[in-house]
Amino acid sequence: DGGITQSPKYLFRKEGQNVTLSCEQNLNHDAMYWYRQDPGQGLRLIYYSQIVNDFQKGDIAEGYSVSREKKESFPLTVTSAQKNPTAFYLCASTKLQGNSGNTIYFGEGSWLTVV
Amino acid sequence: GNSVTQMEGPVTLSEEAFLTINCTYTATGYPSLFWYVQYPGEGLQLLLKATKADDKGSNKGFEATYRKETTSFHLEKGSVQVSDSAVYFCALSYNTDKLIFGTGTRLQVFP
């Protein structure tokens, strides 16, 4: 089945550790995104990428890093510099078709908790 | 800058009641507008969208009309069900296909 797969679903991080969240899509989408969701709040954009080997910072990129070595994959690393990483992380993707009405599709999300 | 404002929740309704969730936006130009729904513990699913003024998006009994004059995209449903209980997000995208979200509105429907 086509879709966006995020893993792991649940992840626990110790203070000072880096962790990487995986996001894979088999939809042949061009653009991929990472959003962070805190309880009771909306989604905030961390990073996005519209083509392979290129990505841009979103609104809250500090303490995070990404790579886009393959079209299908857009992993997010939460570094030890991110002071408050406990949140729900959502990966998304879309096919770029030259207008702003493209539907963005989301994965099932990954819960990260600092212990 | 571009932003989305939604009514605060939770919205609590009895089954078969009429639903309205207000959404207004601030944007330069003409963004596309979206409603997404999030069920507990899951990602977001597109509910409906509209890409130009006066367009009406509809899906699963939900509707929203792109009102440029009032910069609004209110979500409505004539008769809600318990299974509609979820968090609803209004969002816009403009040029770069980045979504800007509202804070979400939790809907709770009781039998």
Side-chain angles (χ1 to χ4, degrees):
Chain A
D1 287 346
I4 302 169
T5 302
Q6 290 187 237
S7 63
K9 178 74 172 178
Y10 300 96
L11 185 60
F12 297 89
R13 191 194 91 169
K14 293 182 180 179
E15 297 271 358
Q17 275 186 338
N18 293 352
V19 293
T20 297
L21 305 179
S22 169
C23 179
E24 304 277 334
Q25 54 94 3
N26 60 4
L27 301 168
N28 197 32
H29 283 174
D30 309 290
M32 297 186 73
Y33 310 82
W34 275 104
Y35 285 88
R36 169 180 171 143
Q37 184 179 23
D38 292 284
Q41 298 188 30
L43 281 72
R44 294 180 290 170
L45 182 64
I46 304 172
Y47 269 99
Y48 65 103
S49 167
Q50 295 187 320
I51 57 173
V52 174
N53 292 323
D54 187 48
F55 48 83
Q56 286 77 43
K57 293 181 179 180
D59 301 316
I60 56 165
E62 185 175 351
Y64 299 97
S65 65
V66 293
S67 62
R68 188 87 185 276
E69 297 176 2
K70 298 186 300 181
K71 186 176 184 179
E72 304 80 19
S73 179
F74 192 43
L76 173 74
T77 297
V78 184
T79 75
S80 56
Q82 170 50 238
K83 297 306 178 189
N84 186 23
T86 296
F88 189 47
Y89 291 86
L90 285 157
C91 179
S93 68
T94 190
K95 186 75 173 171
L96 295 177
Q97 294 176 330
N99 60 66
S100 66
N102 301 325
T103 297
I104 295 179
Y105 297 89
F106 285 80
E108 292 295 306
S110 294
W111 290 94
L112 174 62
T113 302
V114 173
V115 296
Chain B
N2 300 326
S3 66
V4 175
T5 302
Q6 288 182 238
M7 62 187 289
E8 289 194 20
V11 173
T12 304
L13 295 173
S14 298
E15 207 164 25
E16 299 184 3
F18 184 85
L19 168 70
T20 300
I21 300 178
N22 290 338
C23 171
T24 57
Y25 67 90
T26 301
T28 53
Y30 304 101
S32 293
L33 301 173
F34 304 81
W35 277 101
Y36 280 83
V37 58
Q38 185 178 35
Y39 298 100
E42 297 184 9
L44 273 68
Q45 301 173 26
L46 178 69
L47 183 59
L48 53 84
K49 70 178 185 181
T51 58
K52 60 183 188 296
D54 300 324
D55 267 4
K56 176 186 283 188
S58 62
N59 185 26
K60 299 180 182 178
F62 291 88
E63 293 183 340
T65 301
Y66 190 144
R67 300 286 187 199
K68 177 171 171 288
E69 62 276 13
T70 55
T71 62
S72 65
F73 193 54
H74 304 322
L75 182 69
E76 297 182 335
K77 186 175 185 183
S79 175
V80 293
Q81 305 301 312
V82 172
S83 58
D84 293 325
S85 299
V87 180
Y88 292 81
F89 290 93
C90 185
L92 66 83
S93 73
Y94 182 58
N95 281 348
T96 59
D97 289 292
K98 293 185 294 179
L99 281 171
I100 297 171
F101 286 90
T103 53
T105 303
R106 181 176 299 279
L107 170 65
Q108 297 174 325
V109 181
F110 293 96

